[in-house]
Amino acid sequence: MGNSGAGDGAGTLKVLVDNGEYWLRNRGDIAMMVMTVERLREQWPHARIGMLTDEPHILRGVLPQAEPVVAHAGGPWGRDGLAGRLEETAGVHVLGPAALRWRSATEVPKHYLRGVKNWARKEVHALATGAPEPEPAGLPELPPVPAALAGADLVIAQGGGYMTDVDLYQAHRTLNLLEAAQRHGIPNVMIGQGLGPMRDADLLRRAAEVLPGADLIALREGRRGPKLLAELGVPEDKILVTGDDAVEFSYRLRRPGIGTDLGLCLRISDYSKVTDSARDTLGEVLRREAAALNTALAPLIISEYDDEDRRHTLPLLEGAARTRPVIGRAGTAQDVARQVSRCRVLVTSAYHLAVFALSQGIPAVAVTASQYYDDKFYGLADMFDAATAAGLRIVHLDVDNLDAELTRAIRQLWESAPELRDTLQQKAVEQIDAGRAGLDRVFRLVAGGEGSPGERAEPIQGE
């Protein structure tokens, strides 16, 4: 290390950031991106911070301090000099806001159009072959390593829950990037990671090949991740437990006084199966308890991907005595965190809404119907109160007495919310400090700070 030049030959350090949400439809992922970029900017005010994405204009709108590195176009750095600055200005002030408004206005018809196209494709296949369309076998073709790696002085795989069997495509894509960085002597780290469940043989093999070569892996929980990394051969001195990157994001938006709403979010997706019976029971309990507590039900939408939160949460409001307005599709992560701040308790099957709540001192009931979410929620509960997990009550949606379990959890947390508030916020502060300490270790990997990137093991001619 100690090379005096920078990746672009002009003394400017370049940081390439991978993430689990190239389409920018999940506000929890966006919150993590905001904090990652802000912390990098504090250390290196003039660095170029490239965020891998498939939505460059949307990225300019939601994250103006980063520049888009467009994955589907091969992942090159944007233009330098005056042309780059003009492009950035236009993106941040004109194209980004316009793209956000356009996507918000067209998301519903595009969603239904995708459904019609998928239905029509399957019908045509069935008519032509007399058999249902087969499910695709194996992974889709992985993209090439981004061209931007050639100029990068640091590669960061930013926080998320994508290193798991549930998300094989994203997991392998990130592993390929980290492996390429290692091959060329570029410092490479993972931060804010939620690992597993991981049972897929190919994923386990690739993870064992790549992860021990990372310079640092910071985890958002200490319940499962450290053991899994040890089994994969990652040295103990490369492993940290720091908490979720979105904790500080939400903690900053806490209110001085306790809220009054009962928040709710129900996500149903391929990786979060919920039965009709459990869904109906959840709605009945929430409406009944809101009425008994004389409070409003507040719908909380963290993900707009395929309407997975909106489509299943809003029907639960039907018949409720009092409700809050739902956030618009163009709403920001800050808007959702502020909605959460007005809650006294929330019930959620979406992980990052629980992060938003606990970080502000608000207890939550986490409902889960899969091992994937079990791991997420139990890990989060440990981070906020390892001894008792008092601030996050976890209810399995397949229990026989779901009505009674949910009712008990909501009433107990509603009663104990004031006394839990300070303890939960203190746990948030501890995680914020741990996350920043972890990044200090990352900064030291880039010898000499800004303008002094690491020495390459070999020139990069392209992957």
Side-chain angles (χ1 to χ4, degrees):
M1 301 188 70
N3 182 11
S4 61
D8 61 5
T12 301
L13 184 137
K14 290 181 175 179
V15 182
L16 180 62
V17 184
D18 196 12
N19 62 87
E21 228 291 73
Y22 284 17
W23 291 97
L24 299 169
R25 284 185 166 88
N26 188 302
R27 298 179 179 97
D29 289 296
I30 291 170
M32 292 188 291
M33 293 177 188
V34 168
M35 290 313 309
T36 298
V37 172
E38 179 182 313
R39 290 168 174 177
L40 291 172
R41 279 266 170 259
E42 289 174 359
Q43 177 70 16
W44 296 310
H46 306 296
R48 293 183 67 176
I49 301 172
M51 184 71 69
L52 280 160
T53 184
D54 281 328
E55 292 278 10
H57 297 315
I58 299 292
L59 186 90
R60 291 291 196 191
V62 301
L63 198 58
Q65 287 192 308
E67 63 177 278
V69 174
V70 186
H72 66 251
W77 289 101
R79 290 184 289 182
D80 297 326
L82 178 60
R85 290 194 293 273
L86 290 174
E87 187 178 84
E88 177 185 358
T89 300
V92 170
H93 297 290
V94 180
L95 297 177
L100 285 168
R101 289 193 296 270
W102 174 252
R103 187 166 79 172
S104 173
T106 60
E107 191 66 23
V108 173
K110 284 191 294 188
H111 169 70
Y112 284 109
L113 179 60
R114 287 193 298 269
V116 170
K117 287 172 64 178
N118 289 337
W119 174 84
R121 188 192 69 246
K122 292 177 180 178
E123 288 296 305
V124 168
H125 184 278
L127 287 172
T129 66
E133 184 179 36
E135 292 295 324
L139 283 175
E141 183 178 356
L142 291 168
V145 171
L149 182 71
D153 303 300
L154 173 66
V155 172
I156 297 177
Q158 189 224 275
Y162 51 86
M163 198 58 61
T164 172
D165 297 341
V166 170
D167 226 337
L168 291 173
Y169 180 86
Q170 293 187 36
H172 281 278
R173 183 186 65 196
T174 297
L175 289 170
N176 286 352
L177 175 62
L178 293 173
E179 182 182 55
Q182 293 163 21
R183 192 160 55 242
H184 298 296
I186 302 171
N188 60 104
V189 302
M190 305 182 78
I191 62 173
Q193 291 292 322
L195 304 184
M198 194 182 293
R199 300 186 183 92
D200 181 84
D202 287 339
L203 180 57
L204 285 168
R205 175 185 55 80
R206 283 294 287 147
E209 291 171 351
V210 176
L211 295 185
D215 293 296
L216 179 72
I217 301 178
L219 300 170
R220 67 189 187 189
E221 55 81 33
R223 187 171 182 266
R224 292 288 182 90
K227 183 175 184 293
L228 176 56
L229 288 178
E231 292 170 351
L232 293 170
V234 178
E236 185 178 356
D237 62 356
K238 290 186 176 184
I239 302 170
L240 290 178
V241 177
T242 60
D244 194 280
D245 296 330
V247 168
E248 182 171 0
F249 178 93
S250 186
Y251 177 79
R252 293 177 180 178
L253 297 172
R254 68 196 185 282
R255 292 159 60 95
I258 196 165
T260 58
D261 293 346
L262 177 59
L264 73 148
C265 176
L266 177 62
R267 175 177 302 170
I268 301 177
S269 65
D270 290 342
Y271 55 88
S272 178
K273 301 290 188 183
V274 177
T275 66
D276 291 347
S277 174
R279 179 201 60 206
D280 293 344
T281 299
L282 181 63
E284 291 167 5
V285 170
L286 284 163
R287 293 188 295 270
R288 184 185 68 222
E289 291 306 301
L293 296 167
N294 192 28
T295 191
L297 277 178
L300 303 169
I301 309 300
I302 195 97
S303 173
E304 298 289 356
Y305 181 77
D306 201 25
D307 270 355
E308 60 186 356
D309 291 357
R310 191 176 296 270
R311 181 156 44 101
H312 302 293
T313 299
L314 298 188
L316 302 184
L317 300 174
E318 295 175 8
R322 295 168 54 202
T323 62
R324 300 294 185 197
V326 66
I327 190 173
R329 293 176 187 276
T332 66
Q334 287 90 341
D335 293 336
V336 174
R338 291 189 182 99
Q339 283 183 314
V340 170
S341 75
R342 294 190 285 271
C343 295
R344 182 178 175 116
V345 172
L346 62 86
V347 179
T348 177
S349 65
Y351 163 83
H352 264 114
L353 280 172
V355 174
F356 280 12
L358 297 172
S359 302
Q360 298 187 48
I362 299 165
V365 180
V367 294
T368 172
S370 69
Q371 181 66 48
Y372 177 60
Y373 272 98
D374 286 354
D375 284 2
K376 283 189 172 192
F377 285 130
Y378 281 111
L380 182 63
D382 281 353
M383 292 302 294
F384 276 89
D385 193 340
T388 65
L392 184 65
R393 301 292 177 86
I394 298 168
V395 175
H396 295 269
L397 289 172
D398 59 355
V399 296
D400 293 335
N401 54 344
L402 180 58
D403 187 304
E405 290 286 334
L406 279 171
T407 301
R408 184 183 306 112
I410 292 170
R411 291 182 180 179
Q412 288 177 348
L413 289 183
W414 194 269
E415 182 67 25
S416 60
E419 64 192 64
L420 290 171
R421 191 171 180 82
D422 288 347
T423 299
L424 292 175
Q425 289 185 359
Q426 180 56 40
K427 293 292 184 181
V429 171
E430 293 172 7
Q431 291 172 67
I432 292 167
D433 291 343
R436 288 184 169 272
L439 270 183
D440 285 342
R441 281 186 57 175
V442 174
F443 299 148
R444 291 195 292 271
L445 291 171
V446 185
E450 185 172 359
S452 299
E455 185 175 281
R456 307 276 191 233
E458 57 182 279
I460 298 178
Q461 302 298 331
E463 296 294 333

